[in-house]
Amino acid sequence: MITKIYKFLFPLSSFLFFACHNASVPTQFTDIKKAPQIYPDYVDVTIPVNIAPLTFELEDSCDEIVARFSAGDHQLVCGGEAVQPAMDDWRELVNKAVGKDINVEVFIRLGEEWWRYKPFHITVSADSIDSYLSYRLISPSYVAYEELTLNQRCLENYDEQVMVNNMLCGEEIKGQCVNCHNYQQYNPRRMQFHARQYQGGTVIAYDGHLRKINMRNDSILSAGVYPAWHPWLPLIVYSTNKTSQSFHTRNSNRIEVFDAVSDLIAYDVNKNEITNIENAEDEFEVFPCWAPDGKTVYYCSAHFEFRDTVEHSVEVISRYKEVKYNIYKKSFDPDTYQFGPRELVFAVDSLDKSATLPRVSPDGRYLMFTLGNYGVFHIWHREADLWLMDLTNGEVRPMDEINSPETESFHNWSSNGRWVVFSSRRDDGSYTRPFFAHIDANGKGSKPFELPQADPDYHRQFLKCYNIPEFMRGPVEISPQTFASVLKASDGESVKYVPKLSK
């Protein structure tokens, strides 16, 4: 493992050199023939040119750590208890390395002796990433869920803000939750989210206009749940769901979240009109998403015939392993607002599996989805993995280069189609955290990397789950207090049901 001692006097005058925390590269050390184990794991990852500095710490104990980043004749040295590059120095480093690799050497001190691990690389892609990411932060609990927020984070630095604070709306025992934030084409000025239970409703921000909508109507199953904005029209397709949860006593998947009924509806933002577009009694339709051309909506549906021997939710959970979701699509005419019949895209049940969360790449070529053994709420399924379908030829494959032995669930494409973000429990099996991977022109993913933080140990101390990561082109500028005021002001505008939408 350890080779002979080398003594090098580096000719630093030939390099453009920056150091942080008064760190310096040791001139005498012993080589270790393995790459360092660091957290977060940034060994041999590919990153966007505009990402925040990657900070990390060593998994093994040591008295001091020093890292040297090299890109051509440019060097950056950091050290101390952890590696935390300064923002300006990091930005200069990655700009020097665009389209190339940063070589990373990690040195550790044990007592009076220095050791060097096998160097690794960080590839800097010229493909930038959207500047903001939003997500819901929630404790991994089953009862006290009211203490949650919708947050937005600048991916180019560490700035994070609360967008929606659920506790601003609660009144002691009158609680609620907020969820399912979504944007039209990554536009932070066109967003929506739901509030459930007390003061519930759907909040829609559209080009400076902020409204609370009451989508409950006798002609539809429930208010809208999982949303999908049309790429340019003021139109949102939702699934409507009656969702329940149950707890396993002898299953590694501790919780089962399921639908006893679900349909698809379409909502016209301008006219405040709503209609059913899929509501078969023996189908559970869920998780719609639009193709970028605005002419196709994809979704998942499971065929389930009730025996009517017990209450429906009881029957679904007693037969939960039978619930298998396939992927379907419906055509749409943007000129008439009319939807066509459903078409099967992928019969996932033929693999004895179940699909959820279809998401089409911005160029329309790839469909990414999550595959599990059964059911629809795969964030609680340890076997859940990301899969990819090439829509040009129908080829389907697991994304082994991205997946881990733990859960991979909610995922989204960046606006340029070169990055995906997804929720993963790979760190510890309990907490979902955002991971990013580069996707090349052939649909191949790079090794995922975790959302960078100023303190590399941040996620291991932060006891919240990240849910529903969504890319944004910029920040939402509406304050949490304004959102709370809209939720508390009234019951919301009641929707009008129509048999068909019209433009």
Side-chain angles (χ1 to χ4, degrees):
M1 176 177 117
I2 298 174
T3 59
K4 61 181 180 180
I5 295 176
Y6 293 90
K7 185 172 182 180
F8 293 137
L9 294 176
F10 298 101
L12 298 184
S13 60
S14 64
F15 294 94
L16 185 58
F17 177 84
F18 292 92
C20 58
H21 305 299
N22 297 317
S24 59
V25 176
T27 59
Q28 186 169 316
F29 53 84
T30 302
D31 267 343
I32 304 173
K33 292 183 177 179
K34 68 174 184 177
Q37 287 187 299
I38 59 175
Y39 178 82
D41 180 8
Y42 295 133
V43 174
D44 298 335
V45 298
T46 298
I47 63 171
V49 64
N50 59 327
I51 198 69
L54 305 187
T55 66
F56 60 85
E57 57 191 359
L58 197 67
E59 294 284 43
D60 298 328
S61 61
C62 65
D63 296 312
E64 186 179 354
I65 180 173
V66 170
R68 175 168 54 189
F69 301 85
S70 303
D73 62 356
H74 190 94
Q75 289 192 1
L76 170 61
V77 176
C78 291
E81 295 181 358
V83 175
Q84 298 168 288
M87 192 70 64
D88 291 343
D89 295 344
W90 173 261
R91 190 63 54 220
E92 187 167 1
L93 174 73
V94 293
N95 286 334
K96 294 284 186 181
V98 175
K100 298 176 290 188
D101 290 343
I102 297 173
N103 186 66
V104 186
E105 299 167 273
V106 174
F107 304 82
I108 59 169
R109 181 175 61 83
L110 299 172
E112 298 300 321
E113 296 186 7
W114 281 94
W115 308 76
R116 183 180 70 166
Y117 286 95
K118 181 181 178 181
F120 63 89
H121 297 90
I122 296 172
T123 301
V124 180
S125 171
D127 297 322
S128 62
I129 201 166
D130 296 287
S131 58
Y132 272 79
L133 185 78
S134 59
Y135 38 80
R136 182 170 67 159
L137 292 178
I138 184 170
S139 299
S141 58
Y142 315 125
V143 179
Y145 59 83
E146 286 91 347
E147 188 183 353
L148 58 87
T149 59
L150 300 181
N151 285 30
Q152 57 186 358
R153 159 70 190 272
C154 180
L155 296 179
E156 297 177 345
N157 53 46
Y158 306 120
D159 293 345
E160 183 180 35
Q161 296 173 317
V162 173
M163 292 192 304
V164 180
N165 187 343
N166 191 55
M167 296 301 286
L168 292 177
C169 300
E171 295 181 6
E172 296 180 353
I173 63 172
K174 296 179 179 180
Q176 66 176 173
C177 73
V178 293
N179 58 10
C180 299
H181 54 285
N182 188 254
Y183 310 89
Q184 185 179 48
Q185 285 296 89
Y186 312 91
N187 185 349
R189 288 176 52 81
R190 295 183 177 183
M191 72 167 293
Q192 74 96 70
F193 69 90
H194 302 307
R196 298 294 180 213
Q197 298 178 338
Y198 181 59
Q199 296 174 335
T202 297
V203 175
I204 295 179
Y206 198 80
D207 293 345
H209 300 285
L210 191 60
R211 303 155 60 199
K212 178 181 177 181
I213 307 299
N214 177 7
M215 287 194 184
R216 295 188 179 277
N217 187 282
D218 290 342
S219 297
I220 61 175
L221 175 63
S222 71
V225 180
Y226 303 118
W229 282 86
H230 187 274
W232 67 86
L233 294 173
L235 179 70
I236 308 174
V237 170
Y238 293 95
S239 64
T240 59
N241 310 67
K242 290 190 175 180
T243 303
S244 303
Q245 69 176 6
S246 182
F247 297 86
H248 293 293
T249 57
R250 293 181 297 175
N251 192 317
S252 60
N253 297 329
R254 292 164 290 180
I255 304 174
E256 200 59 51
V257 181
F258 61 94
D259 291 325
V261 192
S262 58
D263 296 330
L264 290 186
I265 60 175
Y267 171 67
D268 187 315
V269 175
N270 288 344
K271 294 183 178 181
N272 199 30
E273 294 178 345
I274 203 159
T275 193
N276 286 299
I277 59 174
E278 281 287 333
N279 59 346
E281 292 185 359
D282 55 1
E283 292 287 332
F284 296 161
E285 303 94 347
V286 70
F287 288 127
C289 80
W290 287 96
D293 65 2
K295 297 180 180 180
T296 306
V297 60
Y298 291 84
Y299 64 98
C300 294
S301 184
H303 185 76
F304 190 88
E305 297 182 10
F306 289 99
R307 297 166 183 160
D308 289 326
T309 55
V310 295
E311 197 272 328
H312 281 188
S313 62
V314 175
E315 184 171 354
V316 172
I317 195 59
S318 67
R319 297 168 55 195
Y320 69 94
K321 288 189 177 181
E322 299 176 32
V323 183
K324 312 283 186 177
Y325 284 78
N326 294 320
I327 300 176
Y328 294 87
K329 66 179 180 180
K330 292 175 71 70
S331 63
F332 174 75
D333 187 338
D335 294 325
T336 64
Y337 273 39
Q338 298 308 301
F339 292 87
R342 78 171 189 172
E343 301 174 55
L344 180 65
V345 176
F346 182 28
V348 186
D349 59 358
S350 66
L351 304 178
D352 197 28
K353 299 290 184 181
S354 183
T356 188
L357 289 167
R359 293 290 185 269
V360 184
S361 60
D363 62 3
R365 178 175 178 181
Y366 295 109
L367 177 72
M368 190 178 295
F369 57 95
T370 304
L371 194 78
N373 290 339
Y374 53 85
V376 70
F377 220 80
H378 288 165
I379 196 170
W380 290 111
H381 288 194
R382 294 188 65 188
E383 81 282 357
D385 281 332
L386 296 177
W387 282 54
L388 194 72
M389 170 180 278
D390 188 332
L391 294 174
T392 64
N393 56 28
E395 292 182 358
V396 183
R397 70 173 182 88
M399 301 196 73
D400 294 331
E401 71 275 25
I402 288 180
N403 294 323
S404 74
E406 290 291 343
T407 303
E408 328 298 341
S409 57
F410 198 100
H411 51 278
N412 268 304
W413 296 87
S414 65
S415 61
N416 61 8
R418 284 293 170 255
W419 301 94
V420 291
V421 61
F422 59 96
S423 298
S424 178
R425 297 188 192 272
R426 66 185 60 200
D427 276 349
D428 51 29
S430 296
Y431 292 88
T432 52
R433 298 178 179 117
F435 282 77
F436 305 87
H438 184 262
I439 307 296
D440 67 19
N442 297 314
K444 182 72 172 179
S446 65
K447 177 182 175 180
F449 68 93
E450 193 166 348
L451 175 67
Q453 298 286 357
D455 178 358
D457 205 45
Y458 178 85
H459 281 144
R460 293 201 279 205
Q461 300 182 42
F462 184 61
L463 305 183
K464 291 285 184 74
C465 288
Y466 292 75
N467 292 163
I468 317 178
E470 291 268 3
F471 283 115
M472 310 146 69
R473 297 183 188 272
V476 170
E477 296 181 349
I478 302 170
S479 71
Q481 291 77 14
T482 300
F483 279 130
S485 296
V486 170
L487 279 170
K488 292 189 289 187
S490 69
D491 292 334
E493 303 173 35
S494 296
V495 296
K496 178 184 177 181
Y497 182 82
V498 293
K500 290 184 179 180
L501 296 180
S502 61
K503 194 167 183 179

